[in-house]
Amino acid sequence: MCGIVGYVGKKDAVPLLIEGLKRLEYRGYDSAGVAVVADRKLGVVKTVGRLSNLESQLLRQPLAGSVAVGHTRWATHGAPSEVNAHPHCDCDGRIAVVHNGIIENYHALRASLEAAGHTFYSQTDTEVLPHMIEAALRDGAACLGDAIRAALTQARGAYALGIVSADCPDVLYAARQGSPLIIGIGEDGDRFIASDVPAVLSRVREVIYLNDGEYAELRDGGVRIWNIKGDEISPKVERVTLSAEAADQSGFETYMLKEIHEQPRVLRRLLERNPLFGGGADFGLKPDYFRKLQRVMIVGCGTASHAGMYGRLLLEQYTGLAVEIDLASEFRYRDPRIDPGTLIIPVSQSGETADTLASVRLAKQWGCRVLAICNVPGSSLTRESDAVLFTEAGPEIGVASTKAYTAQQMAFALLAIWIGSIRGTLGDADVQSLLAELAQVPDAIHYVLDRKDLIRVIAHKHCDAPSALYLGRKFNYPTALEGALKNKEISYQHAEGYAAGEMKHGPIALINEYVPVICVCTKTRDEVYDKMISNMREVEARQGRIIALASDGDTQIVRFAQDVIFVPAVRDDFSPIVNVVALQLFAYYAAQARGTDIDKPRNLAKSVTVE
Ligand code: F6R
């Protein structure tokens, strides 16, 4: 969603802001803007659309200065427009604010500010902030920092803020409540703020993760932090372990293709580095907790929820625990019978998804322990959970999740085997053989990647169909859902994922000679294989175009399918981690043929930080 970059130092700020905002483009946005302080004046330039529009406007209307904030906006309150784009200013145009999040009580705040004579131009919730700061200064706040604190004590909701003022030409302020914001420490006194580390990865090797309820003052060479009560806090500086290349495209035509290809390496590293086996399992919750555990509730959104569905099957099979999964956006409004003995497992790439975080906060109120599966160190989710299993996939820039998904699947596999070993539902021999078979998954994915040319041919053949159906059962039911989600989000082809057993209960009505039906029917010892074949016969009888995803060596499958994508045979429990890679490539090449913006599909945001 929205992106923030701010700078204070000795350099010309605008090129640094544009560089940082470009690295945040993947989060999704519809307009952009910058505010620069120079010679005790504030210059603001905003445009609708891509950052290239902002760059062109900045050529016509140049801004120079070394204290500045920039923003990419993903519209929530008010349509995408220049006037609604950030930064927003006070009445005198001397204070500029960029904001991620939502000020929930902005209606009331705006009404009282308007009654006091403030003039508003936009429909945004954000615009109340510069006016509140202005009002606090008029009411006698001793300095800009005090005025910001006074404004924040009245604002309810979520925010990450960057603030500059023409009257304080050497400082950049930042604040955080519920939306991520980091401070980057660069060379030569450079200080940055950003909503995500990759934005400033090429410029900083040390960061400070601002906590909720804190605000910061950044100067050339200095950072000070206070809590909302005004007590100064000593900053905790952390080294950035990611390399700058981790956020680069590395010669691939898109980030998504690069990230699809990174999967064998990511999964190998996760297997090697996992804290569960060999590493002493000291990741926040002790083995004894898992011995006594009765029940697990998994929550997540979108792709992460599909990983959770797969995780449920593994946990049930290996641990004997009662396991449920729900969409975080539903879970938070249900009235579930959750007792303090239930372990909550939120799954999230970004660790900032609003619904997932809200579910975790509820569960904590109920006294539950929380074990997060998450990709982003320092994210809100990792900070609010009792324990974290990091997926270690590195920055995922393509909006459609790929490597984070297979890493979540692998994390669930490791967790389920580990809990099974602790609870004694898996013996030593079972654990060893499961781990040995899991270790074959990265190589199997390599083989899938090697067959991408064939997958491209099949994808191009079917990409013009009005709609596609994805079917799978048991372990590969989530694979069918994820395959369909990938297809619709990047190629815009309508696609539905279904449990194959449900086909006769409705979706079979959709089948005709124009509808490709992608059937996930890989097998080794799979008891649902024959059922999948029956479903394929039913599709065939209605002239559906069957594309089968089958295991190497399955000689009978060609009789039932128009096209077959063969993948290496791995144990059924782990086949979804391999199979989904073929479906990622299938969706990728369909999107390529349809000419969409693959890394930044329309209307989508990488990190959904609002409800
Ligand atoms: C789809 C996709 C989304 C995310 C969802 C949750 O490709 O990326 O469905 O999975 O928005 O995001 P995280 O995992 O960051 O909580």
Side-chain angles (χ1 to χ4, degrees):
M1 303 205 109
C2 308
I4 288 177
V5 180
Y7 172 79
V8 54
K10 298 176 208 41
K11 303 191 175 78
D12 189 13
V14 168
L16 296 173
L17 295 192
I18 298 290
E19 176 187 289
L21 291 174
K22 280 187 176 164
R23 290 188 179 275
L24 292 177
E25 274 192 300
Y26 71 96
R27 295 164 68 99
Y29 68 103
D30 45 56
S31 52
V34 293
V36 181
V37 176
D39 303 328
R40 299 191 85 86
K41 288 197 194 98
L42 184 73
V44 177
V45 172
K46 312 197 267 191
T47 51
V48 175
R50 295 285 187 214
L51 278 169
S52 52
N53 298 353
L54 182 66
E55 286 181 282
S56 309
Q57 188 58 31
L58 282 163
L59 288 177
R60 290 187 285 273
Q61 206 181 328
L63 294 177
S66 47
V67 180
V69 285
H71 191 261
T72 45
R73 172 176 188 253
W74 191 86
T76 56
H77 291 61
S81 69
E82 198 177 305
V83 80
N84 286 333
H86 298 209
H88 290 285
C89 294
D90 64 321
C91 295
D92 298 330
R94 300 198 60 78
I95 300 166
V97 176
V98 292
H99 168 217
N100 289 357
I102 292 178
I103 304 299
E104 284 162 6
N105 56 338
Y106 83 99
H107 267 301
L109 292 169
R110 181 167 171 156
S112 74
L113 287 160
E114 281 178 330
H118 291 257
T119 308
F120 283 76
Y121 298 96
S122 78
Q123 288 105 48
T124 65
D125 52 326
T126 303
E127 201 180 356
V128 295
L129 293 165
H131 290 280
M132 286 161 76
I133 297 168
E134 176 188 23
L137 284 167
R138 281 192 200 157
D139 288 348
C143 61
L144 182 59
D146 282 358
I148 291 170
R149 185 155 59 82
L152 297 184
T153 49
Q154 296 173 60
R156 269 204 331 268
Y159 51 77
L161 302 176
I163 304 162
V164 291
S165 163
D167 298 311
C168 301
D170 305 322
V171 287
L172 160 66
Y173 277 92
R176 172 194 161 130
Q177 176 63 48
S179 283
L181 198 69
I182 62 114
I183 293 170
I185 315 274
E187 287 173 356
D188 198 23
D190 285 352
R191 297 293 178 265
F192 293 87
I193 58 169
S195 39
D196 212 345
V197 176
V200 290
L201 204 50
S202 58
R203 301 272 166 192
V204 312
R205 297 318 303 155
E206 289 181 327
V207 294
I208 299 165
Y209 292 98
L210 213 52
N211 289 308
D212 277 351
E214 291 178 355
Y215 68 98
E217 181 192 84
L218 288 75
R219 292 173 184 271
D220 181 359
V223 176
R224 294 178 71 187
I225 299 178
W226 295 266
N227 65 20
I228 203 74
K229 287 190 250 144
D231 309 321
E232 188 156 0
I233 288 166
S234 44
K236 185 169 164 229
V237 179
E238 298 182 34
R239 277 210 70 72
V240 180
T241 49
L242 290 171
S243 66
E245 299 75 55
D248 280 345
Q249 226 165 293
S250 311
F252 283 90
E253 63 194 27
T254 60
Y255 279 108
M256 184 174 173
L257 196 59
K258 176 201 171 203
E259 287 157 8
I260 289 173
H261 281 79
E262 281 178 321
Q263 292 177 107
R265 185 169 53 75
V266 163
L267 298 186
R268 252 181 232 120
R269 195 175 47 198
L270 187 55
L271 280 164
E272 280 159 17
R273 284 204 200 164
N274 87 82
L276 302 174
F277 293 96
D282 187 14
F283 70 115
L285 289 171
K286 299 281 174 246
D288 205 38
Y289 171 81
F290 293 95
R291 276 185 206 110
K292 296 182 186 137
L293 185 64
Q294 295 296 317
R295 193 163 167 231
V296 174
M297 180 80 218
I298 304 169
V299 290
C301 299
T303 288
S305 77
H306 300 155
M309 290 172 74
Y310 172 62
R312 170 178 61 183
L313 292 165
L314 294 180
L315 283 164
E316 283 175 346
Q317 180 150 318
Y318 300 161
T319 70
L321 287 163
V323 188
E324 283 179 74
I325 155 90
D326 202 356
L327 297 168
S329 53
E330 289 295 316
F331 177 76
R332 62 183 292 192
Y333 294 111
R334 277 170 55 202
D335 197 6
R337 303 277 86 81
I338 301 283
D339 58 45
T342 303
L343 172 67
I344 307 293
I345 306 186
V347 191
S348 175
Q349 188 285 126
S350 62
E352 302 295 349
T353 299
D355 286 318
T356 308
L357 287 172
S359 302
V360 165
R361 288 168 192 155
L362 264 180
K364 290 191 91 173
Q365 278 173 25
W366 298 330
C368 302
R369 309 304 296 272
V370 178
L371 162 56
I373 294 183
C374 188
N375 196 38
V376 179
S379 60
S380 305
L381 183 61
T382 63
R383 272 132 35 98
E384 294 184 28
S385 299
D386 299 297
V388 184
L389 194 51
F390 282 104
T391 41
E392 310 231 18
E396 191 179 62
I397 311 284
V399 164
S401 189
T402 52
K403 62 176 178 170
Y405 179 63
T406 46
Q408 287 161 354
Q409 291 177 303
M410 180 67 88
F412 266 120
L414 288 166
L415 183 67
I417 299 169
W418 182 71
I419 298 178
S421 74
I422 288 175
R423 293 170 67 86
T425 43
L426 293 177
D428 286 348
D430 301 322
V431 170
Q432 291 319 317
S433 106
L434 284 167
L435 288 178
E437 297 199 54
L438 197 55
Q440 292 171 12
V441 164
D443 283 346
I445 293 177
H446 254 305
Y447 284 115
V448 176
L449 296 173
D450 284 347
R451 296 170 196 183
K452 65 183 174 206
D453 289 340
L454 175 73
I455 298 175
R456 179 173 42 221
V457 170
I458 300 174
H460 283 192
K461 186 166 149 192
H462 297 283
C463 69
D464 287 334
S467 181
L469 197 59
Y470 286 68
L471 301 179
R473 280 176 182 255
K474 197 178 169 184
F475 289 116
N476 281 300
Y477 165 39
T479 312
L481 295 180
E482 177 60 10
L485 180 65
K486 283 293 88 90
N487 193 0
K488 72 182 114 187
E489 64 184 338
I490 60 168
S491 83
Y492 312 151
Q493 181 181 49
H494 174 248
E496 290 300 337
Y498 259 96
E502 278 290 290
M503 193 178 63
K504 285 198 276 298
H505 301 284
I508 199 163
L510 295 173
I511 292 170
N512 61 25
E513 68 271 35
Y514 304 112
V515 175
V517 184
I518 296 94
C519 297
V520 186
C521 56
T522 48
K523 68 153 181 176
T524 47
R525 297 178 292 268
D526 198 338
E527 78 264 20
V528 296
Y529 176 79
D530 290 338
K531 316 269 181 227
M532 278 303 302
I533 297 292
S534 305
N535 293 129
M536 287 163 65
R537 305 298 298 260
E538 288 154 9
V539 174
E540 190 188 16
R542 283 150 190 92
Q543 281 82 49
R545 301 191 210 164
I546 299 177
I547 303 163
L549 192 65
S551 301
D552 281 345
D554 182 347
T555 47
Q556 68 158 338
I557 200 79
V558 284
R559 285 193 277 134
F560 310 118
Q562 194 171 331
D563 291 297
V564 183
I565 300 171
F566 282 107
V567 296
V570 295
R571 196 189 154 96
D572 293 324
D573 331 17
F574 304 144
S575 67
I577 317 178
V578 177
N579 293 345
V580 77
V581 177
L583 298 186
Q584 292 167 352
L585 287 166
F586 185 79
Y588 184 87
Y589 290 120
Q592 188 192 56
R594 290 164 71 101
T596 60
D597 186 350
I598 292 180
D599 277 338
K600 297 186 281 288
R602 68 184 178 208
N603 305 335
L604 290 178
K606 182 68 183 161
S607 176
V608 183
T609 51
V610 293
E611 262 195 77

